[in-house]
Amino acid sequence: MSSDFCIEAAPDQSGFFMTSCKTGVRRGDVIHISEAGQQSEYRIDEIDYYSDPSDMWIAKLRMVS
């Protein structure tokens, strides 16, 4: 996955939203994010692709570890 992404907490505290670019990402995939020596895993619960650019998407994530 690209290292260029934006992740933020959902306003209702039900998970996170992530925006990034990469083809082939789909619902159920697990995303690993490493920061300051710690790794977190998030599962994609929902994903929507933008039309331009076609590989840009926004996804609702749930932390799994």
Side-chain angles (χ1 to χ4, degrees):
M1 181 163 164
S2 168
S3 61
D4 296 328
F5 63 90
C6 176
I7 188 168
E8 59 187 298
D12 62 1
Q13 307 289 317
S14 65
F16 301 86
F17 285 105
M18 176 182 227
T19 304
S20 190
C21 291
K22 182 175 179 171
T23 59
V25 179
R26 59 186 180 260
R27 188 174 160 259
D29 285 355
V30 174
I31 295 173
H32 302 269
I33 298 176
S34 295
E35 184 178 21
Q38 294 186 2
Q39 185 166 331
S40 300
E41 293 184 345
Y42 301 85
R43 183 167 315 277
I44 297 176
D45 286 341
E46 301 173 25
I47 188 166
D48 289 310
Y49 276 89
Y50 291 90
S51 60
D52 187 25
S54 61
D55 65 343
M56 181 176 249
W57 47 264
I58 186 167
K60 183 156 187 197
L61 309 176
R62 175 176 34 95
M63 185 178 255
V64 292
S65 71

